[in-house]
C-alpha cells in the first residue's frame, strides 16, 4: 500500500524542491519575453504572474532556511581541545542533521531525543577519521536498566568498529547498591558486561551510593576532543532524552572518570571481578543469597 503523506508535508517539500526553483526561474524569464513578443498584452496580468512567481521563490527560500541548519563559524577554532575533530563533527552536522545548532560555534552542542544516539555514533566515527590522540573512549554509564543498554544497536556497532580499528574503550558501570544485591538485576548486568567484553571493551564497576554527585554522571569522553554528557537518560525508543556535547574543557571530565576508575586493587575492573566472582556462581546454581551479595558489595 503506498504511503499516505500529509498534504502540508507535500507542500513544504515542494517549496524546498530544487526542481520547483528551476521551473519558477525559467518561468520568471519567460513571462516578460512572452509579454514583449505578444502584441496585445494585459500589463496587470503580467505583473500579477510576476508577483506570484516572486512570492513562490521567497516562500521556498524561507522554508529552506527554516528546515536546514546554517551553523556559525567557530568563534575561535584554536580554542577547541581538538580543532580538527571539532571541524569534522561540525561539517558533518551541517550536512546531515536538520535542527538549529548555532551554539556549536561556542564549542557546545545540545541534542534531544532520537538525535542523541545518532550523534553518539558520529562522535565515535570521527575519532578515527580525525586521527585524534589518544584513540580512546572513556564511558561512564549510570546503569539502572541493563536491558535498555543492549538495545543501542548502532552505538554498539560503532563501538565494535572502533575497537577493531585499534581503539580502546574503558566502560564504567555505575550501579546502586540496592540493585547489585538483587538477582533479577545482577543477571542482566553480567550479560550486558559480557556483551561489551566481546566488543573488546574493558569494563569496570562502581557503587553509585559511594560516589560524589559530580562523579555519578552519565558521560562519554572521546579522546581529548569532546565529551558527551547525558543529562536526561533516553527510553528504549529514544523518544525522550537530552544530552550536551562539549569540545572544550575535556580534560576536566577525563579527570573525573579516572578518579572513579582508579588503579590497582581498588580499581573499577578489580571491583567488577570481585563482584562477578561472588555472584556468578549463585546465578548459575540458581541459589541466590541476598545477604551474601550484600556482604560482597559492602566490601568494595
Amino acid at each position: 500500500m503506498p504511503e499516505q503523506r500529509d498534504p502540508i508535508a507535500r507542500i513544504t517539500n515542494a517549496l524546498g524542491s530544487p526542481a520547483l526553483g528551476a521551473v519558477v526561474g525559467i518561468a520568471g524569464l519567460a513571462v516578460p519575453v512572452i509579454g514583449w513578443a505578444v502584441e496585445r498584452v494585459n500589463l496587470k496580468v503580467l505583473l500579477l504572474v510576476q508577483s506570484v512567481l516572486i512570492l513562490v521563490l521567497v516562500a521556498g527560500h524561507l522554508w529552506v532556511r527554516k528546515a536546514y541548519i546554517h551553523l556559525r563559524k567557530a568563534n575561535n577554532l584554536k580554542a577547541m581541545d581538538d580543532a580538527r575533530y571539532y571541524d569534522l563533527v561540525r561539517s558533518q552536522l551541517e550536512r546531515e542533521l536538520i535542527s538549529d545548532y548555532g551554539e556549536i560555534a561556542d564549542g557546545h552542542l545540545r541534542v534531544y531525543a532520537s538525535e542523541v544516539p545518532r550523534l553518539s555514533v558520529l562522535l565515535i566515527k570521527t575519532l578515527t577519521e580525525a586521527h585524534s590522540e589518544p584513540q580512546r573512549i572513556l564511558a561512564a554509564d549510570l546503569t539502572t536498566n541493563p536491558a535498555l543498554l543492549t538495545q543501542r544497536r548502532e552505538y554498539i556497532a560503532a563501538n565494535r568498529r572502533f575497537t577493531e580499528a585499534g581503539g580502546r574503550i574503558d566502560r564504567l558501570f555505575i550501579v546502586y547498591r540496592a540493585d547489585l544485591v538483587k538477582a533479577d538485576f545482577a543477571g542482566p548486568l553480567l550479560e550486558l558486561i559480557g556483551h561489551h567484553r566481546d566488543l573488546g571493551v574493558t569494563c569496570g564497576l562502581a557503587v553509585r551510593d559511594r560516589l560524589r554527585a559530580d562523579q555519578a554522571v552519565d558521560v562519554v569522553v572521546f579522546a581529548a576532543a569532546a565529551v558527551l554528557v547525558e543529562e536526561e537518560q533516553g527510553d528504549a525508543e529514544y523518544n525522550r532524552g537530552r544530552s550536551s556535547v562539549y569540545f572544550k574543557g575535556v580534560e576536566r571530565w577525563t579527570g573525573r572518570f579516572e578518579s572513579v576508575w582508579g588503579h590497582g586493587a581498588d580499581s573499577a575492573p578489580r571491583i567488577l571481578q570481585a563482584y562477578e566472582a561472588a555472584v556468578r556462581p549463585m546465578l548459575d546454581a540458581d541459589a541466590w543469597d541476598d545477604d551474601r551479595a550484600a556482604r560482597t558489595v559492602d566490601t568494595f
Side-chain angles (χ1 to χ4, degrees):
M1 181 177 179
E3 180 184 3
Q4 299 296 318
R5 300 184 62 188
D6 187 345
I8 295 177
R10 290 200 295 266
I11 293 172
T12 53
N13 287 339
L15 286 175
S17 168
L20 177 63
V23 170
V24 172
I26 294 172
L29 293 173
V31 168
V33 173
I34 294 172
W36 174 79
V38 176
E39 293 182 359
R40 297 178 62 183
V41 61
N42 189 321
L43 184 59
K44 291 183 178 179
V45 172
L46 183 62
L47 290 175
L48 178 62
V49 172
Q50 287 284 71
S51 298
V52 170
L53 292 174
I54 291 172
L55 288 174
V56 172
L57 282 175
V58 170
H61 176 70
L62 291 175
W63 168 249
V64 170
R65 284 185 60 86
K66 181 180 180 181
Y68 295 92
I69 58 176
H70 298 270
L71 302 179
R72 291 187 295 131
K73 296 297 182 182
N75 295 335
N76 182 2
L77 190 61
K78 293 182 179 179
M80 305 305 163
D81 287 355
D82 188 325
R84 173 172 168 76
Y85 179 91
Y86 163 83
D87 205 39
L88 284 173
V89 171
R90 182 193 176 280
S91 299
Q92 188 72 13
L93 289 173
E94 194 168 33
R95 287 195 299 270
E96 293 187 0
L97 297 184
I98 302 177
S99 188
D100 180 15
Y101 287 120
E103 62 184 354
I104 195 175
D106 300 317
H108 171 241
L109 176 64
R110 186 175 291 111
V111 286
Y112 300 90
S114 61
E115 294 173 345
V116 177
R118 287 184 59 198
L119 185 63
S120 300
V121 172
L122 172 61
L123 293 172
I124 296 174
K125 179 182 176 183
T126 307
L127 271 187
T128 304
E129 295 177 355
H131 303 291
S132 299
E133 292 295 338
Q135 284 283 296
R136 181 183 70 175
I137 294 173
L138 308 176
D141 293 319
L142 299 183
T143 311
T144 55
N145 183 353
L148 189 65
L149 296 177
T150 61
Q151 299 177 32
R152 310 282 191 254
R153 294 183 178 86
E154 291 185 9
Y155 179 69
I156 290 173
N159 278 244
R160 181 185 296 278
R161 289 191 295 269
F162 182 72
T163 56
E164 288 177 348
R168 175 184 174 87
I169 300 177
D170 292 340
R171 187 171 304 279
L172 176 67
F173 295 93
I174 302 176
V175 187
Y176 282 113
R177 176 189 181 279
D179 287 331
L180 289 171
V181 301
K182 294 188 297 187
D184 58 355
F185 186 93
L189 174 64
L190 294 186
E191 182 179 350
L192 172 65
I193 289 170
H195 186 53
H196 278 279
R197 284 173 174 160
D198 291 341
L199 301 176
V201 176
T202 302
C203 299
L205 177 67
V207 182
R208 187 169 179 175
D209 312 64
R210 313 263 176 83
L211 302 180
R212 302 191 309 268
D214 64 337
Q215 294 175 317
V217 180
D218 215 320
V219 61
V220 184
V221 181
F222 302 89
V227 57
L228 172 67
V229 182
E230 190 163 5
E231 295 156 350
E232 179 186 348
Q233 195 165 38
D235 53 3
E237 288 78 28
Y238 252 106
N239 293 319
R240 62 178 177 83
R242 182 182 70 252
S243 296
S244 289
V245 182
Y246 302 93
F247 297 92
K248 296 187 288 187
V250 177
E251 184 179 352
R252 174 170 60 96
W253 293 95
T254 301
R256 288 185 184 181
F257 179 92
E258 291 177 343
S259 70
V260 181
W261 188 262
H263 302 281
D266 296 328
S267 67
R270 291 291 184 87
I271 291 175
L272 175 57
Q273 290 175 9
Y275 176 74
E276 191 172 6
V279 304
R280 189 175 290 282
M282 291 191 292
L283 290 170
D284 292 343
D286 196 19
W288 186 263
D289 185 330
D290 287 349
D291 292 336
R292 182 181 174 187
R295 287 194 299 271
T296 299
V297 173
D298 289 341
T299 62
F300 300 154

